[in-house]
């Protein structure tokens, strides 16, 4: 699923964060072995696509709007969106193996067929997506990297936002949710200069989207006294 067009060479990147947590059970191992290859995007990783050839998105989407969720956690939100929007194809991007296994189990149990997965670094995916190919993008409760010296590892930095702005169609939606106040600050500082416009007042970010699905992570944040913030940007 690739064209002959190529991006310029990109430098090798460090990845920070966990790749795998506790041991997987037998069913999860089976899903990774049998189900993941059926719905895994091809030619995204550097190993499979060292030339960084662009994906043939039209062959992948087959006439459907294409959405992207980066860091889908255990997959609750992406499955909810897939079930609610059966005419949309959603790419789920997650490098954490346990999260991928969790999503695969939900896909199998719920019978959804409009999710494809990139089980790797989002930057590799953004390398090979053609410009103006995404219709909507979600960044929900990303890794907060709370220490100040680690803030450059956050997704809301130019390294991620500049290529994302090229991939998202003009006038289309980029949603960000977080319970970390300093992540809100950095999001409001970094996202608009990358080519996005915030739709809400920065003082009124407490109202969730009408189609929002509150995940277990959000419920944990609420129990621990942290307030969710929901930010909607549009590509200018």
């Amino acid at each position: 699923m690739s064209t002959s067009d190529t991006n310029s060479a990109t430098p090798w990147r460090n990845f920070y964060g966990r790749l795998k947590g506790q041991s997987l059970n037998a069913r999860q191992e089976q899903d990774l072995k049998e189900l993941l290859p059926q719905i895994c995007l091809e030619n995204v990783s550097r190993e499979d696509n060292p030339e960084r050839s662009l994906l043939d998105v039209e062959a992948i989407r087959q006439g459907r709007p294409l959405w992207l969720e980066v860091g889908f956690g255990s997959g609750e939100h992406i499955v909810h969106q897939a079930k609610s929007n059966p005419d949309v194809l959603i790419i789920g991007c997650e490098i954490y193996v346990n999260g991928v296994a969790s999503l695969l189990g939900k896909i199998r149990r719920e019978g959804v067929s409009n999710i494809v997965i990139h089980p790797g670094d989002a930057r590799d995916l953004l390398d090979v997506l053609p410009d103006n190919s995404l219709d909507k993008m979600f960044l929900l409760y990303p890794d907060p990297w709370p220490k100040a010296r680690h803030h450059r590892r956050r997704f809301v930095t130019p390294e991620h936002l500049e290529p994302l702005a090229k991939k998202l169609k003009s006038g289309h939606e980029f949603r960000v949710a977080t319970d970390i106040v300093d992540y809100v600050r950095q999001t409001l500082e970094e996202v608009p200069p990358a080519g996005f416009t915030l739709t809400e007042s920065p003082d009124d970010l407490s109202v969730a989207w009408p189609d929002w699905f509150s995940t277990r992570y959000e419920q944990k944040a609420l129990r621990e006294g942290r307030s969710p913030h929901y930010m909607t940007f549009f590509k200018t």
Side-chain angles (χ1 to χ4, degrees), residues 1-43:
M1 290 186 179
S2 64
T3 71
S4 59
D5 296 328
T6 59
N7 290 323
S8 59
T10 54
W12 189 264
R13 306 171 177 122
N14 290 325
F15 179 81
Y16 303 96
R18 292 190 303 167
L19 299 180
K20 189 173 182 181
Q22 62 186 7
S23 298
L24 304 175
N25 61 41
R27 178 73 255 194
Q28 291 173 321
E29 295 281 7
Q30 185 177 353
D31 285 339
L32 287 169
K33 181 179 179 180
E34 298 178 0
L35 179 55
L36 180 58
Q38 300 175 32
I39 59 175
C40 184
L41 274 180
E42 300 176 349
N43 297 326

Side-chain angles (χ1 to χ4, degrees), residues 151 154 180-190 231:
H151 288 181
R154 291 174 171 175
I180 305 301
V181 172
D182 190 68
Y183 207 103
V184 175
R185 174 200 60 77
Q186 188 168 348
T187 300
L188 296 176
E189 290 178 358
E190 300 271 13
M231 291 164 279

